[in-house]
Amino acid sequence: MKKLIFALISLTATLSLATAAKSDATTDLMVEGVHCAACTKMISKKVCADPKLAENFESCGVTVVDTKKQIGKISLRLKEGKTLDTTALDAAVKSAGDNYKVQYKNAEPETKTEKK
């Protein structure tokens, strides 16, 4: 049952992230356990620099959002027509450290508009 629930969550997240494939859409994923610059470097090394994942990105960055709550953010801009493999993303984040966990509940793409 747990595997089925996890599969459904991963599928939902993948579908949500697939809509971010436009070049002007950025998807922000919150990550638990991030509390310092070293954390962001570790995650960036495992996610943004991973050749298999990075082939889908136009850009990728990791930042600390709240040091007290230990929340970080992975900001992704996917290439046109590309989707994100959430299973591979989870594995990459986990390989950066066991205390990191991606939160997909707020994985809606954010479309940025230019100011005129």
Side-chain angles (χ1 to χ4, degrees):
M1 186 66 164
K2 287 182 184 180
K3 286 183 180 183
L4 177 62
I5 292 170
F6 180 73
L8 289 173
I9 291 170
S10 293
L11 178 62
T12 302
T14 301
L15 292 174
S16 293
L17 292 171
T19 62
K22 294 186 276 181
S23 63
D24 62 343
T26 301
T27 300
D28 292 333
L29 302 170
M30 296 301 148
V31 182
E32 293 178 8
V34 179
H35 58 83
C36 66
C39 294
T40 63
K41 286 180 184 177
M42 290 292 294
I43 295 171
S44 183
K45 182 178 175 182
K46 297 294 185 174
V47 175
C48 301
D50 179 281
K52 187 174 180 174
L53 287 171
E55 70 185 16
N56 297 315
F57 307 152
E58 279 188 24
S59 65
C60 175
V62 183
T63 57
V64 176
V65 174
D66 188 326
T67 56
K68 288 185 180 184
K69 293 182 181 178
Q70 296 190 2
I71 302 292
K73 175 174 68 173
I74 301 173
S75 296
L76 302 172
R77 180 173 290 163
L78 297 174
K79 291 180 180 175
E80 181 108 18
K82 296 290 187 173
T83 59
L84 180 64
D85 181 350
T86 56
T87 304
L89 179 72
D90 285 337
V93 170
K94 186 83 167 167
S95 72
D98 287 336
N99 57 325
Y100 304 127
K101 183 177 179 190
V102 179
Q103 297 297 314
Y104 290 105
K105 61 185 172 189
N106 295 323
E108 292 302 317
E110 173 186 313
T111 302
K112 297 188 179 194
T113 56
E114 293 182 29
K115 293 182 182 179
K116 292 184 181 178

